[in-house]
Amino acid sequence: MSNRITFPSDFVWGAATASYQIEGGWDEDGKGESIWDRFSHTPGKVAEGHTGDIACDHYHRWREDVALMKELGLKAYRFSVSWPRVLPQGRGKVNQLGLDFYSRLVDELLRAGITPFATLYHWDLPQPLQDAGGWPERDVTGAFCEYAQAVSRALGDRVRHWMTMNEPHIISFLGYLDGVHAPGHTSREEMLAAAHHVLLAHGMAVPLIRANSKDAQVGIALDHYPQIPASESEADRKAALLQDGVLNRWFLDPLDGKGYPQDVVEHYRSDMRFVQAGDLQTMAAPIDFLGINYYFRYLVRSKEIPEAQNMPPTQFSTGEFTDMGWEVYPQGAYKLLKRLQADYSFPAFYFTENGAACPDHPDAQGEVNDPARISFIKRHLEQMHQAILEGVPLRGYFVWSLLDNFEWAFGYTKRFGIVYVDYPSQKRIPKASANWYRQVIAEGGFPTD
Ligand code: IFM
């Protein structure tokens, strides 16, 4: 006999995307160059030389994409605004045509009964700001405030749900330490300063958004990685704790008013000269929700810490993996929620991203069957449901992603969408997971096996 899982009736069912990954129109209507335009146009940076120049052509197909969302029964849509579309130079003169694009999108969403969740920064920094030093330079925080003002003034009468930043850890680590994301730098000091200024800019922007958007719900989306010691040994447990500090607590603690975690400060041995009086207070501006982006865990085994990265080595367990090589670990969703509730004071949570890359292809009938993705989402939702039953204030779930799209350094070689995109024709084909998700939304849950 099968049982059912039923989510609260006001649970927000959504899907997420990001500007650079889907929009295309990279130099249209006055849009300025972003660091991802520059990076992807630089040979050797992105798989197969792919760029976001056209992407899913959402800049032209937004109306049809909203119709698709409606057809799927989505209650909410998380998108990001392209900073250089709105402020081509990063600050100064506003490009009205850029703002108009998002204004039309929001109107269309509302007409379709879909609640817009807007993210201000999902990695497409205006190139002129990078030329002036980028996130490691404190001045960028002022530019971000100008941008947050412009967008929240224009959309704040209709958008109530806001996220300032997407994944400060990825912005700083992959962009300024590992160099695999734009702008491709490899400096520990730049990484630390960038992370600081991203959190600071977030804190500075929160009151601006509130001033422009009545009754706004303001949050930030962090990428989270449960750190599981590979054994019970003291060494593995210590390594897992440190890595939790590096990847999770470094961002969570300051947002929650705890300042930077001391064990990690000592680990970095940085002079932290980028921290100025009042910064920690600004970063801890009260938020209404924490966005959780969750994909996989780390299984941590202690060895010596490689000085170059200053990170303990990690080892994934064997088992089930997605096309990204990421381990499928649904229990992480439950563990994360319980941990965040126990250790922090955020009033509510949304799963702002979760999903799987699969090697999807249309079959002879033109259908795309993706049972692994359905299974992935279903098992993660089961874990979230359990956490809700135990009192965790999880308010909604956004699958990553609505559409197959530009997966950063992997270009279009990885498919995360519940909707297949045939890039040459730009045809959208809802995958089996989209049809499954439609039913889950309509029924507010699903049968368990
Ligand atoms: O595609 C990304 C997204 O832009 C940010 N979070 C993780 C996703 C999958 O890698």
Side-chain angles (χ1 to χ4, degrees):
M1 213 184 74
S2 91
N3 292 319
R4 283 194 69 80
I5 277 187
T6 304
F7 282 77
S9 55
D10 56 356
F11 193 74
V12 175
W13 297 99
T17 64
S19 48
Y20 189 74
Q21 294 181 272
I22 65 162
E23 284 179 2
W26 78 280
D27 61 352
E28 276 184 56
D29 294 338
K31 176 183 167 293
E33 186 189 22
S34 81
I35 55 172
W36 269 96
D37 295 317
R38 177 72 61 91
F39 194 70
S40 69
H41 292 162
T42 307
K45 298 297 187 191
V46 174
E48 302 181 20
H50 291 165
T51 73
D53 291 4
I54 299 172
C56 305
D57 197 30
H58 174 75
Y59 189 66
H60 301 110
R61 294 166 194 263
W62 54 276
R63 209 185 290 274
E64 140 193 356
D65 288 338
V66 174
L68 180 59
M69 294 177 217
K70 185 174 181 189
E71 218 273 303
L72 294 178
L74 294 186
K75 303 284 182 227
Y77 173 53
R78 175 178 179 233
F79 63 97
S80 80
V81 176
S82 160
W83 187 344
R85 220 181 262 298
V86 173
L87 287 163
Q89 295 302 311
R91 62 193 330 158
K93 193 165 174 344
V94 169
N95 176 34
Q96 191 57 41
L97 291 178
L99 273 180
D100 290 348
F101 168 71
Y102 297 104
S103 192
R104 285 193 299 269
L105 175 67
V106 165
D107 285 344
E108 189 74 3
L109 287 166
L110 293 173
R111 259 196 299 275
I114 298 168
T115 304
F117 278 60
T119 304
L120 288 175
Y121 186 71
H122 199 128
W123 310 353
D124 38 5
L125 186 73
Q127 183 64 39
L129 294 179
Q130 181 53 47
D131 295 341
W135 285 110
E137 275 300 318
R138 191 177 178 89
D139 201 40
V140 74
T141 58
F144 184 74
C145 288
E146 276 188 40
Y147 166 58
Q149 279 279 22
V151 178
S152 57
R153 266 193 196 131
L155 306 181
D157 57 335
R158 289 155 291 156
V159 174
R160 276 194 61 226
H161 297 85
W162 297 90
M163 277 147 283
T164 53
M165 304 285 177
N166 187 68
E167 302 182 355
H169 155 258
I170 297 289
I171 298 167
S172 50
F173 273 64
L174 271 59
Y176 292 94
L177 176 69
D178 301 335
V180 295
H181 277 190
H185 293 193
T186 51
S187 151
R188 164 117 57 91
E189 280 308 307
E190 280 201 42
M191 175 276 279
L192 287 171
H196 184 73
H197 295 136
V198 168
L199 293 183
L200 184 61
H202 151 82
M204 290 162 75
V206 169
L208 304 177
I209 299 169
R210 290 198 195 290
N212 292 327
S213 181
K214 197 165 166 291
D215 301 328
Q217 296 279 302
V218 189
I220 182 169
L222 301 190
D223 46 318
H224 300 257
Y225 309 89
Q227 305 295 325
I228 315 289
S231 79
E232 285 301 302
S233 77
E234 179 65 11
D236 283 355
R237 281 199 282 120
K238 271 174 72 180
L241 182 65
L242 176 59
Q243 185 149 284
D244 177 56
V246 167
L247 298 180
N248 300 320
R249 286 181 286 121
W250 192 257
F251 301 91
L252 285 164
D253 285 14
L255 289 171
D256 199 34
K258 296 184 166 76
Y260 285 114
Q262 198 49 39
D263 58 331
V264 190
V265 172
E266 283 162 22
H267 165 70
Y268 280 133
R269 286 184 241 114
S270 157
D271 62 15
M272 307 278 289
R273 83 181 90 166
F274 42 80
V275 183
Q276 295 188 7
D279 283 5
L280 293 172
Q281 215 179 336
T282 304
M283 288 151 91
I287 52 176
D288 303 293
F289 66 90
L290 179 72
I292 301 174
N293 294 2
Y294 170 60
Y295 292 90
F296 61 92
R297 68 165 170 175
Y298 282 82
L299 197 63
V300 186
R301 188 180 299 286
S302 165
K303 297 215 188 79
E304 322 80 70
I305 297 172
E307 196 45 43
Q309 289 207 341
N310 211 10
M311 298 259 290
T314 58
Q315 182 192 304
F316 288 138
S317 86
T318 52
E320 190 186 344
F321 299 90
T322 68
D323 205 29
M324 295 296 283
W326 296 345
E327 184 198 2
V328 179
Y329 186 64
Q331 306 92 301
Y334 172 83
K335 286 187 192 195
L336 262 172
L337 287 166
K338 295 291 281 187
R339 184 268 174 106
L340 289 168
Q341 186 187 35
D343 293 355
Y344 296 96
S345 62
F346 303 112
F349 305 106
Y350 286 91
F351 252 71
T352 38
E353 282 184 30
N354 175 246
C358 303
D360 305 313
H361 296 289
D363 62 18
Q365 284 70 47
E367 288 171 3
V368 183
N369 277 305
D370 54 345
R373 181 174 291 105
I374 295 176
S375 165
F376 180 101
I377 299 172
K378 187 173 175 193
R379 283 179 285 159
H380 282 77
L381 283 171
E382 282 170 359
Q383 297 286 329
M384 291 172 215
H385 184 257
Q386 184 56 36
I388 294 173
L389 288 183
E390 294 175 25
V392 176
L394 175 65
R395 306 289 185 231
Y397 176 82
F398 292 80
V399 67
W400 183 270
S401 179
L402 174 70
L403 302 170
D404 290 338
N405 59 46
F406 178 84
E407 178 53 23
W408 308 111
F410 295 92
Y412 300 98
T413 64
K414 306 291 176 195
R415 292 184 178 270
F416 273 94
I418 56 170
V419 174
Y420 184 89
V421 176
D422 175 57
Y423 294 108
S425 67
Q426 289 293 346
K427 186 169 176 220
R428 277 78 163 130
I429 306 172
K431 302 178 190 176
S433 57
N435 295 325
W436 175 82
Y437 194 47
R438 178 201 286 119
Q439 198 170 342
V440 171
I441 297 172
E443 295 174 1
F446 49 85
T448 54
D449 301 325

